[in-house]
Amino acid sequence: DTEVTQTPKHLVMGMTNKKSLKCEQHMGHRAMYWYKQKAKKPPELMFVYSYEKLSINESVPSRFSPECPNSSLLNLHLHALQPEDSALYLCASSQQGRAWETQYFGPGTRLLVL
Amino acid sequence: AQTVTQSQPEMSVQEAETVTLSCTYDTSESDYYLFWYKQPPSRQMILVIRQEAYKQQNATENRFSVNFQKAAKSFSLKISDSQLGDAAMYFCAYRKNYGGSQGNLIFGKGTKLSVKP
């Protein structure tokens, strides 16, 4: 099983809402990633979790709050977002986070902030 | 800072023909990895091929091969016998090797490949 799943597939939220994105993998991977991808642009790294600990935060605004409850799950909590936060949010995982590893990507959550 | 440049925003190829996608990168490091990832429309991004910087031999994966020129900092992808399913956005990516620990995966802006039947 080389699948990373993400829910929901689509999300529309207002600027005062609180919502969460969920990512799950059952490959036994210990590194998990959140990326943001705007239309026709490459993915931009937001956060990296390694062995359930946050190891990289790419200066992401605090209205995005990641959480890794266990080695299979990764959440991204959203609060007071801005319209410019509308994007495709991709989750990925890799075995241990080493440079040569394949990152396995989920299909993404397409977020629209009104 | 490391950068990855893909100079071809869009490319087109006839089915069964060969196409080459270009990628250049800038780094002062000697130990790193290069990747090509494919993102089909509305589908998951997947790894196409990977190259280790310290290996001179070019990587190949079935119909996909790379031309890795370390001195020129060039890493092009050749797709042979193109198929309709190859139509996708292709991202070139770089990742520094911090002695086995993680570094950021840095993507180029992508090349959109169309395959004509």
Side-chain angles (χ1 to χ4, degrees):
Chain A
D1 183 8
T2 58
E3 192 178 22
V4 175
T5 58
Q6 290 187 244
T7 53
K9 287 195 169 106
H10 301 273
L11 180 62
V12 180
M13 60 186 290
M15 289 191 281
T16 57
N17 292 158
K18 283 186 183 180
K19 296 285 184 184
S20 296
L21 309 185
K22 180 180 168 183
C23 172
E24 197 163 5
Q25 56 87 14
H26 295 287
M27 294 179 275
H29 289 174
R30 304 312 296 273
M32 295 186 78
Y33 311 78
W34 278 116
Y35 288 89
K36 174 182 178 181
Q37 186 177 25
K38 300 282 266 184
K40 299 186 180 180
K41 299 285 186 187
E44 297 174 2
L45 184 67
M46 300 175 72
F47 302 103
V48 181
Y49 271 84
S50 180
Y51 289 82
E52 295 96 71
K53 289 197 170 76
L54 183 65
S55 59
I56 293 178
N57 176 342
E58 287 293 311
S59 303
V60 179
S62 60
R63 56 186 185 268
F64 294 92
S65 175
E67 179 198 18
C68 190
N70 60 57
S71 59
S72 301
L73 272 177
L74 185 67
N75 298 320
L76 185 63
H77 302 297
L78 314 173
H79 173 56
L81 294 195
Q82 304 296 309
E84 60 264 28
D85 296 323
S86 299
L88 181 68
Y89 288 84
L90 296 170
C91 174
S93 71
S94 70
Q95 220 161 3
Q96 294 183 35
R98 293 166 297 188
W100 58 85
E101 292 169 358
T102 301
Q103 289 192 19
Y104 293 86
F105 286 82
T109 293
R110 196 162 294 279
L111 173 67
L112 177 62
V113 181
L114 300 175
Chain B
Q2 295 91 6
T3 58
V4 177
T5 302
Q6 292 179 249
S7 58
Q8 305 151 316
E10 295 190 26
M11 291 280 287
S12 181
V13 64
Q14 205 72 33
E15 199 175 3
E17 297 292 306
T18 295
V19 64
T20 298
L21 308 185
S22 301
C23 173
T24 58
Y25 59 95
D26 188 22
T27 184
S28 57
E29 305 295 333
S30 58
D31 190 4
Y32 52 87
Y33 293 82
L34 296 164
F35 307 83
W36 280 98
Y37 277 87
K38 168 187 176 181
Q39 188 175 35
S42 302
R43 288 177 58 194
Q44 279 153 273
M45 188 176 301
I46 58 171
L47 178 69
V48 175
I49 199 163
R50 166 188 23 239
Q51 175 76 43
E52 300 155 65
Y54 59 85
K55 281 193 176 176
Q56 290 194 340
Q57 187 173 5
N58 290 324
T60 62
E61 287 286 342
N62 301 315
R63 298 182 295 107
F64 298 88
S65 62
V66 298
N67 183 1
F68 173 49
Q69 302 289 326
K70 190 171 184 179
K73 296 179 183 172
S74 169
F75 181 60
S76 60
L77 174 70
K78 186 169 91 171
I79 306 174
S80 304
D81 185 26
S82 297
Q83 300 175 0
L84 294 177
D86 294 334
M89 183 71 85
Y90 285 82
F91 291 102
C92 178
Y94 162 100
R95 197 172 189 192
K96 176 182 171 182
N97 188 14
Y98 286 94
S101 61
Q102 59 196 308
N104 292 1
L105 190 59
I106 299 170
F107 289 94
K109 290 188 176 181
T111 296
K112 184 178 178 182
L113 178 67
S114 303
V115 180
K116 296 178 181 174

